[in-house]
C-alpha cells in the first residue's frame, strides 16, 4: 500500500518504545503488545535500527535521509507502512492561527456561500422581488420553521447542555441557550398573532429539510462546538441581503417584504421586534464568545471547518427552498401537527 506524500507526517514520530531482544531482534513495545520488526530487504540491520531511533518527531523525511545516508525511497519504505499500522504519527507542532484570525477566514467562507447559495436562491428572490404574489403561508411558514429550528425542544440548543465540558466553553452555549429561549418567546408571539398557539407549536412537525438542518447542527453542537457556534452566528444574522432596492438594510429586508405582502400587522410587528433586536442588540455576538481565549486553530481544523461550511450552507439553502416549495402549495395547511 502506497501512502500519498501529502499524508505522510512532516516529522515522523514513532509511537512505540524501541528495544533490542535477547537475540538482537528489534522489538516495538506498544500498549497492546510487542511487535518484532525486521529490516526490509536490501537494508542492513544497523541502518534499520538507526532510522527507528531517529523517528522522534524532531526530523523531517529529508533530515532522516541526510543523517542516515539512506535515500528517500528507503526511508519511506519504513515510514509508510508504519503510518498505516498506527506506529508512526505526526511529531511536528501544527501550524496554528489565533482564534480571531481563523474565525475571520471562516466567516469569509460562510458569507460567500450565504450569498451564492441562500440569498441568491429562489426563496429570497421571490420574497424580496415579488412578495405580493406569494401565499401568506410562505411568510408564516418561514417563521414557523425558523422557530422549530432555533427554539423547538428538538433544536440544536439543548444538545450542548448535557455535555461535560469545562466551565469556560460550557458557559457560552448555556448563555446562548438562555438568550434563545427569551427570543423564542418573542418569536412565538408573532405566530400567535396568526392563530398559532403554544400547544400548536409543541405538536408541530417540521419539514424534512428543517429536520435535516436541525440534526446536522445538533451533531456539530456535540462534536465540534466552535464550528457550531460559527454556524449559529449565520442563523442569527439579520434576515435578508445586506443591501437592496430602496436602500433597505439587512435588518428590514424581510419585515419590509411582509409589509408589501399585506400580512397581519400583529405578526409583522412582533417579528420586526425580534429581528430588530438581533440586528442592533449584538445577539449574534454571543456565538463568537467560545472563540475568545481558545487555543490556536491549526490548519487541518480550518480545512475541516471550510468543508463543513459548504455542507452547512447547502443544508441551509435546502431549508429555505423547502419552505418555499411546501408553503406555496395552497393545499398544504400552515401547521403539520403530530397527534399525541
Amino acid at each position: 500500500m502506497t501512502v500519498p506524500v501529502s499524508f505522510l507526517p512532516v516529522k515522523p514520530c514513532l509511537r512505540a518504545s524501541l528495544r533490542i531482544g535477547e537475540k538482537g531482534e528489534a522489538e516495538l513495545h506498544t500498549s497492546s503488545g510487542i511487535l518484532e520488526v525486521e529490516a526490509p530487504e536490501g537494508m542492513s540491520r544497523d541502518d534499520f535500527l538507526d532510522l527507528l531511533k531517529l523517528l522522534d518527531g524532531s526530523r523531517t523525511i529529508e533530515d532522516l535521509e541526510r543523517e542516515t545516508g539512506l535515500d528517500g525511497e528507503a526511508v519511506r519504505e519504513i515510514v509508510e507502512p508504519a503510518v498505516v499500522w498506527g506506529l508512526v504519527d505526526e511529531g511536528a507542532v501544527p501550524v496554528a492561527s489565533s482564534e480571531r484570525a481563523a474565525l475571520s477566514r471562516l466567516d469569509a467562507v460562510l458569507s460567500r456561500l450565504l450569498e451564492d447559495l441562500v440569498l441568491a436562491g429562489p426563496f429570497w428572490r421571490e420574497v424580496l422581488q415579488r412578495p405580493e404574489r406569494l401565499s401568506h403561508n410562505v411568510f408564516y411558514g418561514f417563521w414557523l420553521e425558523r422557530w422549530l429550528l432555533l427554539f423547538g425542544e428538538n433544536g440544536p440548543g439543548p444538545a450542548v447542555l448535557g455535555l461535560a465540558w469545562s466551565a469556560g466553553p460550557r458557559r457560552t452555549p448555556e448563555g446562548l441557550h438562555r438568550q434563545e429561549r427569551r427570543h423564542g418567546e418573542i418569536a412565538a408571539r408573532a405566530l400567535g398573532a396568526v392563530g398559532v398557539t403554544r400547544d400548536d407549536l409543541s405538536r408541530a412537525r417540521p419539514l424534512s429539510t428543517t429536520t435535516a438542518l436541525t440534526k446536522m447542527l445538533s451533531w456539530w453542537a456535540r462534536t465540534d462546538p466552535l464550528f457550531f457556534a460559527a454556524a449559529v452566528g449565520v442563523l442569527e444574522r439579520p434576515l435578508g441581503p445586506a443591501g437592496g432596492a430602496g436602500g433597505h438594510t439587512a435588518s428590514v429586508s424581510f419585515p419590509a417584504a411582509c409589509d408589501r405582502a399585506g400580512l397581519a400587522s400583529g405578526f409583522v410587528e412582533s417579528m420586526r421586534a425580534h429581528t430588530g433586536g438581533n440586528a442592533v442588540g449584538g445577539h449574534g455576538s454571543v456565538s463568537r464568545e467560545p472563540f475568545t481565549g481558545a487555543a490556536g486553530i491549526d490548519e487541518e481544523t480550518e480545512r475541516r471547518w471550510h468543508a463543513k461550511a459548504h455542507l452547512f450552507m447547502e443544508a441551509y439553502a435546502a431549508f429555505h427552498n423547502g419552505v418555499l416549495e411546501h408553503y406555496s402549495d395552497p393545499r398544504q395547511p400552515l401547521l403539520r401537527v403530530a397527534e399525541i
Side-chain angles (χ1 to χ4, degrees):
M1 176 180 180
T2 301
V3 179
V5 173
S6 61
F7 287 91
L8 284 175
V10 175
K11 294 183 177 180
C13 181
L14 186 63
R15 301 301 186 188
S17 175
L18 173 63
R19 301 179 188 178
I20 305 301
E22 295 180 356
K23 299 180 181 180
E25 70 277 12
E27 295 179 348
L28 296 181
H29 289 241
T30 70
S31 59
S32 59
I34 300 174
L35 179 66
E36 291 188 8
V37 291
E38 298 180 351
E41 186 176 352
M43 182 182 295
S44 71
R45 173 183 173 276
D46 289 343
D47 285 343
F48 179 59
L49 292 176
D50 287 344
L51 176 58
L52 292 181
K53 293 173 183 177
L54 294 176
L55 296 176
D56 60 1
S58 67
R59 298 169 175 84
T60 65
I61 298 291
E62 292 73 21
D63 293 334
L64 294 169
E65 293 177 37
R66 185 174 59 256
E67 294 188 35
T68 61
L70 299 170
D71 61 32
E73 183 177 348
V75 172
R76 287 180 174 81
E77 189 176 355
I78 302 299
V79 173
E80 286 182 359
V83 171
V84 175
W85 297 332
L87 295 170
V88 165
D89 204 348
E90 179 61 77
V93 176
V95 176
S97 300
S98 72
E99 69 280 357
R100 295 290 182 179
L103 176 59
S104 176
R105 288 190 287 269
L106 177 58
D107 265 341
V109 173
L110 289 169
S111 295
R112 175 176 56 81
L113 293 171
L114 184 68
E115 290 287 340
D116 293 346
L117 298 179
V118 179
L119 298 180
F123 175 86
W124 284 108
R125 187 169 58 247
E126 292 298 316
V127 164
L128 296 180
Q129 295 179 9
R130 293 176 286 273
E132 303 89 347
R133 301 183 184 181
L134 291 176
S135 165
H136 287 187
N137 273 6
V138 171
F139 298 91
Y140 300 145
F142 173 64
W143 202 247
L144 171 64
E145 296 298 325
R146 273 183 63 86
W147 191 94
L148 293 170
L149 173 68
L150 293 173
F151 312 121
E153 289 302 316
N154 294 319
V160 301
L161 299 181
L163 300 181
W165 289 347
S166 64
R170 181 183 169 87
R171 192 177 303 118
T172 292
E174 286 180 338
L176 176 63
H177 185 58
R178 286 194 296 271
Q179 282 208 25
E180 291 298 327
R181 291 295 292 269
R182 289 195 297 271
H183 283 257
E185 290 298 310
I186 299 173
R189 287 187 212 133
L191 293 167
V194 293
V196 179
T197 67
R198 299 302 176 106
D199 182 58
D200 291 332
L201 288 176
S202 69
R203 296 186 297 125
R205 291 188 295 120
L207 297 176
S208 60
T209 44
T210 302
T211 298
L213 182 56
T214 300
K215 289 183 179 295
M216 185 179 293
L217 290 167
S218 296
W219 173 249
W220 285 329
R222 294 182 179 276
T223 62
D224 195 344
L226 289 182
F227 181 80
F228 167 74
V232 168
V234 172
L235 300 179
E236 290 298 339
R237 291 183 186 184
L239 300 175
H248 290 308
T249 63
S251 61
V252 299
S253 293
F254 188 74
C258 291
D259 282 334
R260 289 172 57 193
L263 269 62
S265 59
F267 171 84
V268 177
E269 292 309 312
S270 295
M271 183 263 306
R272 180 177 279 115
H274 176 267
T275 56
N278 277 359
V280 302
H283 179 63
S285 66
V286 176
S287 65
R288 295 300 185 257
E289 291 178 12
F291 289 86
T292 302
I297 308 300
D298 63 81
E299 292 178 337
E300 181 59 31
T301 297
E302 279 204 67
R303 281 194 289 271
R304 288 198 301 270
W305 282 353
H306 293 184
K308 290 177 181 178
H310 285 75
L311 183 61
F312 163 60
M313 209 57 71
E314 287 171 1
Y316 196 32
F319 164 83
H320 286 83
N321 296 340
V323 167
L324 181 64
E325 179 180 355
H326 179 82
Y327 291 102
S328 292
D329 187 345
R331 295 169 298 179
Q332 301 290 354
L334 175 60
L335 281 167
R336 290 159 18 103
V337 177
E339 295 299 333
I340 301 176

